[in-house]
């Protein structure tokens, strides 16, 4: 500290006796000119179709967009040209504002440069410039998703002050990554590492991001290398083509490690028990690998763990009741989906005061949910699981009645219980959950009816109770669910008519009421559902005429099934429907002779 401030003082004096570049003084010395020239050379190599760097003119380079200087000296300390519009809307506005072109070695002249961010631009398969290894004062280097390719140069070993190194390609988990990669490959990094030993020279490294950098040639050496970086806090090696096992280091050095994300690789060993020695761990993601064997109970004793994702390993085993009896003191996200967890969920689950997200779907859980859960005393809010927003238990073998405490999870936004063997009625308490957005209970043995109080769920976007034994009629109040996008109630014993109020569901995209005992006519108001894409009313006892009004605003419809009812079509012969369906079955045999061309 002392040294830095003395240095600062000397620099400040130098500044007064030489130059006030950023304060608009007229005299410009060689030093400033050379920095300015370095930046202008850098700029002239870049292609900037959107004129992002239009402010890069005049002598006050400290005020150019993306440039920061040390105020006292006018030294350039930061160049931040990350794309401000990364892939927000990947299909429509893909990587607008991107920079490309050459990266001039003139940057070497900026001897004080500490921070360089070129992320999310498109340098079109350019290799990472070797000269970056000469930017010796760099603390932060972000080249993520900027279109670099080839081998990461071992020259970077000279960056002994580097604390943040991000060479990741972005992780696109909700869209078709391969499709995008094909059409936009120049915007992704396509990097690999042959030999990773040089990285042990990056002694200041706190953050290493190399998602989707191909490390297949490195083998398991990455463990020893990471173990030699004394300050390493975050390690992101998702999708790096790492395989086989990760050997335990002889002695676990990684005392600072808080985040390890090594998801989407090909590890096919047991869970790396040595991670349990890293007591600072806050977040572990080893999802989407091929781990097998037991999930160690010790994970539940890691004192700082907030985030654990071991989903999609398929062969990880464990007893859920043993696991959840551990303390999990700070856990907020627990995702163990798509494994081989067995047993039943213990009442101690209520004690997870900070839990926000629990996903145990696609496992072998059985037994019934505990009737009562603990937690009333433990959590400061005096309610069990006070922070839970998403609970996912679908595709298990859970049975018995749905317990009333589900309706006490006041912050719940999503409840997924489909594909189990739950029976009996849906607890009335569920219809009081004000924040509920998704309620999926399909493919169980539930009975009873949907109550009027369903209209209170003002945030509901998706409701699924298909393939159960529900009876009664669809309540009129369903029309109050103004956010509802998907309504699936097929394959039940619902009777009565479809309420006219259904036409008020202005956001509705999917409506499936097929295979019930619904009768009466199809309400005209259906024709108002301008967002509707899929409509299935087949296999009911519906009747009456289908007029042009029933289809009035359905311009987005692409799937339509109305067969196995007793409708008769009553539209003029030259009527052109507002939609083009790809998949259509209106039950031709029952529609009568006036069979329009579009069927
Ligand atoms: C440098 O000066 C600018 C403008 O006067 C100010 O916004 C900024 O916070 C200062 N930076 C530092 C590191 O003092
Ligand atoms: C598309 O990019 C422009 C900048 O070119 C930005 O102003 C706009 O907000 C972006 N739109 C979307 C939908 O991302
Ligand atoms: C990205 O930059 C390249 C090269 O300048 C340009 O051809 C491309 O159109 C840009 N992409 C977008 C979405 O603006
Ligand atoms: C790295 O440092 C070594 C020793 O200081 C030096 O010989 C070498 O030229 C440097 N490499 C780069 C790319 O600056
Ligand atoms: C690198 O830049 C990307 C996009 O600008 C950002 O999301 C990421 O957090 C940055 N990495 C680090 C280590 O700051
Ligand atoms: C990674 O590199 C190896 C060896 O060069 C290659 O066989 C493999 O296909 C690469 N993986 C990916 C995902 O590109
Ligand atoms: C532990 O880290 C230090 C550097 O901090 C290194 O010298 C030592 O070799 C490391 N130990 C192991 C077993 O890797
Ligand atoms: C982990 O810690 C235990 C003691 O708690 C120790 O016996 C063991 O050697 C450690 N393992 C490693 C790989 O450091
Ligand atoms: C959990 O909820 C309580 C209040 O219900 C709140 O004080 C606390 O900050 C929440 N914890 C987390 C991790 O969000
Ligand atoms: C749950 O499955 C196990 C086998 O994994 C079986 O032994 C046990 O009886 C089952 N329990 C219930 C309540 O069905
Ligand atoms: C619902 O199913 C349970 C058995 O799971 C049965 O006892 C009850 O009578 C059924 N209720 C209705 C309304 O069908």
């Amino acid at each position: 500290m002392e040294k830095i401030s003395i240095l600062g003082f000397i620099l400040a004096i130098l500044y007064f006796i030489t130059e006030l570049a950023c304060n608009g003084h007229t005299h410009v010395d060689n030093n400033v000119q050379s920095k300015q020239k370095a930046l202008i050379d850098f700029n002239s190599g870049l292609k900037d179709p959107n004129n992002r760097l239009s402010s890069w003119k005049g002598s006050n380079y400290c005020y150019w967009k993306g440039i920061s200087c040390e105020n006292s000296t006018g030294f350039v300390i930061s160049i931040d040209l990350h794309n401000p519009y990364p892939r927000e809307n990947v299909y429509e506005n893909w990587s607008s504002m991107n920079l490309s072109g050459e990266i001039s070695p003139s940057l070497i002249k900026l001897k004080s440069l500490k921070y360089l961010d070129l992320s999310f631009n498109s340098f079109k398969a350019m290799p990472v410039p070797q000269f970056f290894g000469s930017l010796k004062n760099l603390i932060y280097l972000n080249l993520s998703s900027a279109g670099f390719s080839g081998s990461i140069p071992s020259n970077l070993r000279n960056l002994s002050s580097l604390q943040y190194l991000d060479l990741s390609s972005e992780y696109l988990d909700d869209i078709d990554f391969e499709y995008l990669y094909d059409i936009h490959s120049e915007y992704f990094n396509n990097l690999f590492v042959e030999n990773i030993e040089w990285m042990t020279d990056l002694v200041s490294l706190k953050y290493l991001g190399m998602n989707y950098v191909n490390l297949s040639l490195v083998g398991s050496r990455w463990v020893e290398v990471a173990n030699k970086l004394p300050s390493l806090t975050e390690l992101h090696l998702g999708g790096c083509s790492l395989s086989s096992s990760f050997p335990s280091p002889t002695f676990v050095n990684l005392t600072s490690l808080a985040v390890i994300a090594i998801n989407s690789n090909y590890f096919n060993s047991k869970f790396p028990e040595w991670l349990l020695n890293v007591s600072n761990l806050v977040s572990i993601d080893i999802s989407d690998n091929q781990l097998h064997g037991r999930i160690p109970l010790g994970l539940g004793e890691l004192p700082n763990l907030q985030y654990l994702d071991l989903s999609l390993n398929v062969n990880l085993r464990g007893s859920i009741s043993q696991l959840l009896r551990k303390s999990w003191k700070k856990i907020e996200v627990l995702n163990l989906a798509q494994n081989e967890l067995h047993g039943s969920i213990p009442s101690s689950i209520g004690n997870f005061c900070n839990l926000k997200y629990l996903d145990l779907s696609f496992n072998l859980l059985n037994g019934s949910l505990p009737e009562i859960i603990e937690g009333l005393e433990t959590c400061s809010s005096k309610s069990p699981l006070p922070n839970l927003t998403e609970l996912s238990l679908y595709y298990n073998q859970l049975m018995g009645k749905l317990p009333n405490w589900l309706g006490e999870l006041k912050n719940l936004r999503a409840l997924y219980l489909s594909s189990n063997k739950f029976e009996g009625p849906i607890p009335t308490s569920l219809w009081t959950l004000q924040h509920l957005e998704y309620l999926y209970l399909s493919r169980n043995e539930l009975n009873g009816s949907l109550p009027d109080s369903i209209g209170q769920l003002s945030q509901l976007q998706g409701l699924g109770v298909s393939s159960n034994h529900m009876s009664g009629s669809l309540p009129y109040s369903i029309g109050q669910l103004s956010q509802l996008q998907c309504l699936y109630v097929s394959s039940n014993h619902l009777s009565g008519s479809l309420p006219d109020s259904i036409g008020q569901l202005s956001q509705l995209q999917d409506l499936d009421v097929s295979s019930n005992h619904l009768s009466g006519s199809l309400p005209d108001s259906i024709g108002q559902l301008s967002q509707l894409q899929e409509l299935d009313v087949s296999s009911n006892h519906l009747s009456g005429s289908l007029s042009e009004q029933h289809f009035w605003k359905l311009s987005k419809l692409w799937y339509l099934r109305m067969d196995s009812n007793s409708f008769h079509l009553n539209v003029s012969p030259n009527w052109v429907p507002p939609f083009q369906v790809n998949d259509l079955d209106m039950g031709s045999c029952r529609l009568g002779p006036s069979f329009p061309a579009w069927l």
Side-chain angles (χ1 to χ4, degrees):
M1 264 343 228
E2 198 91 306
K3 267 188 198 154
I4 291 172
S5 58
I6 290 170
L7 182 66
F9 181 64
I10 293 169
L11 291 174
I13 289 175
L14 274 176
Y15 158 81
F16 277 111
I17 59 177
T18 59
E19 181 44 50
L20 294 161
C22 289
N23 287 349
H25 283 229
T26 45
H27 167 243
V28 174
D29 77 352
N30 290 338
N31 201 6
V32 169
Q33 270 176 347
S34 102
K35 274 173 225 135
Q36 194 179 343
K37 178 148 191 324
L39 288 170
I40 288 170
D41 287 350
F42 173 58
N43 184 13
S44 64
L46 295 175
K47 287 187 191 148
D48 176 19
N50 304 89
N51 264 324
R52 279 176 57 194
L53 306 184
S54 57
S55 66
W56 285 40
K57 49 183 179 251
S59 57
N60 280 346
Y61 57 80
C62 294
Y63 292 101
W64 295 355
K65 200 159 185 203
I67 304 294
S68 306
C69 295
E70 201 165 62
N71 283 349
S72 53
T73 58
F75 293 160
V76 177
I77 52 171
S78 166
I79 300 179
D80 178 0
L81 296 180
H82 78 273
N83 186 342
Y85 296 103
R87 296 67 156 140
E88 275 158 24
N89 182 342
V90 287
Y91 293 106
E92 275 168 36
N93 214 2
W94 179 263
S95 191
S96 52
M97 309 294 273
N98 73 85
L99 299 170
S100 57
E102 302 294 318
I103 298 176
S104 163
S106 65
L107 287 182
I108 298 177
K109 292 183 191 141
L110 304 173
K111 297 230 184 309
S112 302
L113 194 63
K114 291 182 180 154
Y115 184 103
L116 180 59
D117 187 347
L118 299 174
S119 59
F120 282 77
N121 287 298
S122 55
F123 289 102
K124 309 226 160 125
M126 180 198 285
V128 173
Q130 299 269 350
F131 78 83
F132 280 1
S134 307
L135 303 172
K136 286 192 183 152
N137 286 311
L138 277 189
I139 290 175
Y140 182 100
L141 178 58
N142 193 341
L143 305 178
S144 70
S145 297
F148 290 103
S149 73
S151 176
I152 297 173
S154 56
N155 274 4
L156 297 184
R157 65 155 35 101
N158 281 17
L159 304 180
S160 56
S161 302
L162 200 63
Q163 296 178 11
Y164 298 87
L165 176 59
D166 196 342
L167 299 163
S168 286
S169 246
E170 113 199 76
Y171 182 56
L172 300 162
D173 62 354
D174 56 343
I175 43 177
D176 189 336
F177 183 82
E178 281 181 23
Y179 166 74
L180 280 169
Y181 189 84
D182 282 350
I183 58 171
H184 291 303
S185 61
E186 71 268 30
Y187 305 114
F188 294 93
N189 285 341
N190 191 2
L191 295 166
F192 64 93
V193 174
E194 282 164 295
N195 178 333
I196 203 171
E197 306 307 319
W198 57 269
M199 221 171 248
T200 56
D201 289 353
L202 302 180
V203 289
S204 305
L205 210 58
K206 290 182 180 165
Y207 181 106
L208 178 58
M210 300 215 294
N211 293 336
Y212 291 97
V213 171
N214 190 335
L215 298 183
S216 63
L217 298 174
V218 167
S220 50
R221 289 292 302 148
W222 66 273
V223 176
E224 285 300 335
V225 169
N227 197 40
K228 288 202 168 97
L229 299 172
S231 308
L232 195 65
T233 314
E234 291 202 28
L235 179 61
H236 297 266
L237 301 178
C240 291
S241 298
L242 291 165
S243 55
S244 67
S245 62
F246 18 118
S248 172
T250 41
F251 170 75
V252 178
N253 238 352
L254 290 157
T255 46
S256 306
L257 194 67
V259 176
I260 183 166
I262 47 177
N263 53 293
S264 310
N265 283 294
Y266 308 114
F267 296 123
N268 63 1
S269 61
K270 294 197 162 172
F271 184 93
E273 298 255 357
W274 57 270
L275 283 180
L276 303 178
N277 283 31
V278 185
S279 59
N280 265 337
L281 276 173
V282 171
S283 172
I284 300 176
D285 184 354
I286 321 184
S287 60
D288 190 15
N289 275 287
Q290 292 151 28
L291 296 183
H292 53 81
R294 289 196 164 275
I295 298 176
L297 297 175
L299 279 168
E301 306 290 2
L302 277 172
N304 296 304
L305 197 64
Q306 293 175 10
Y307 183 105
L308 176 64
D309 190 348
L310 298 177
S311 62
L312 252 165
N313 276 287
V314 186
N315 285 320
L316 272 181
R317 279 179 294 116
S319 149
I320 195 63
S321 56
Q322 280 179 0
L323 268 168
L324 295 187
R325 281 200 183 95
K326 297 291 160 187
S327 75
W328 300 97
K329 234 189 201 145
K330 297 197 176 160
I331 199 76
E332 292 179 15
V333 172
L334 184 57
N335 188 348
L336 304 175
Q338 307 208 38
N339 284 300
E340 287 189 347
L341 291 171
H342 67 270
S344 50
I345 293 173
S347 60
S348 58
I349 194 184
N351 293 321
F352 288 43
C353 304
N354 294 312
L355 194 64
K356 293 176 176 161
Y357 178 100
L358 177 63
D359 191 348
L360 302 174
S361 54
F362 283 101
N363 275 291
L364 306 171
L365 306 183
N366 66 3
S368 43
L369 295 182
E371 226 167 291
I372 296 170
I373 52 170
E374 298 165 18
L376 288 170
E377 271 69 55
T378 336
C379 302
S380 58
S381 62
K382 300 292 169 220
S383 62
L385 294 164
N387 292 316
L388 197 65
T389 56
E390 185 160 339
L391 176 60
S392 221
L393 300 172
Y394 61 95
Y395 273 102
N396 277 290
Q397 293 154 27
L398 296 165
M399 57 172 91
K401 287 194 174 171
L402 295 180
N404 278 320
W405 56 262
L406 288 172
E408 286 162 36
L409 307 176
K410 294 292 175 220
N411 287 312
L412 209 59
R413 290 174 195 277
L415 180 61
Y416 302 106
L417 302 177
S418 304
S419 298
N420 279 290
K421 295 187 263 181
F422 290 119
E423 61 179 30
I426 299 171
T428 48
S429 61
L430 271 188
W431 309 113
T432 67
L433 291 172
Q434 292 301 313
H435 300 292
L436 209 58
E437 292 169 14
Y438 300 97
L439 177 60
Y440 286 108
L441 307 171
S442 298
R443 292 176 300 280
N444 279 293
E445 312 282 334
L446 299 171
N447 63 11
S449 56
L450 294 171
D452 278 332
S453 52
I454 197 173
Q456 295 170 25
L457 300 183
S458 60
Q459 304 299 312
L460 204 64
Q461 293 175 33
L463 174 64
V465 290
S466 298
S467 302
N468 279 291
H469 310 299
M470 303 297 293
S471 54
S473 57
L474 279 174
Y476 192 84
S477 65
I478 210 160
Q480 292 167 24
L481 302 177
S482 60
Q483 307 296 314
L484 200 66
Q485 293 174 12
C486 304
L487 177 59
Y488 305 115
V489 297
S490 66
S491 303
N492 279 291
H493 312 304
L494 297 177
S495 56
S497 55
L498 271 171
D500 193 42
S501 61
I502 227 161
Q504 295 163 23
L505 299 174
S506 59
Q507 305 298 316
L508 201 63
Q509 294 174 12
D510 286 9
L511 174 59
D512 187 354
V513 300
S514 63
S515 302
N516 277 292
H517 310 309
L518 297 172
S519 56
S521 57
L522 193 70
D524 285 358
S525 64
I526 290 256
Q528 299 293 320
L529 298 174
S530 59
Q531 302 302 314
L532 204 63
Q533 296 174 20
E534 299 182 41
L535 174 61
D536 192 343
V537 300
S538 64
S539 301
N540 277 292
H541 310 309
L542 296 166
S543 58
S545 68
L546 293 177
S547 68
E548 294 166 20
Q549 238 187 334
H550 284 106
F551 304 101
W552 190 28
K553 293 187 181 167
L554 305 190
S555 59
K556 295 194 173 163
L557 205 65
W558 64 269
Y559 179 93
L560 176 62
R561 276 196 66 178
M562 309 186 97
D563 61 293
S564 308
N565 284 295
S566 313
F567 293 123
H568 60 91
L569 199 59
N570 185 15
V571 296
S572 72
N574 44 13
W575 178 62
V576 180
F579 52 82
Q580 274 192 314
V581 290
N582 300 331
D583 199 342
L584 172 109
D585 189 344
M586 289 184 70
S588 47
C589 20
R590 300 197 186 192
L591 281 172
S594 59
F595 209 65
W598 54 271
L599 267 180

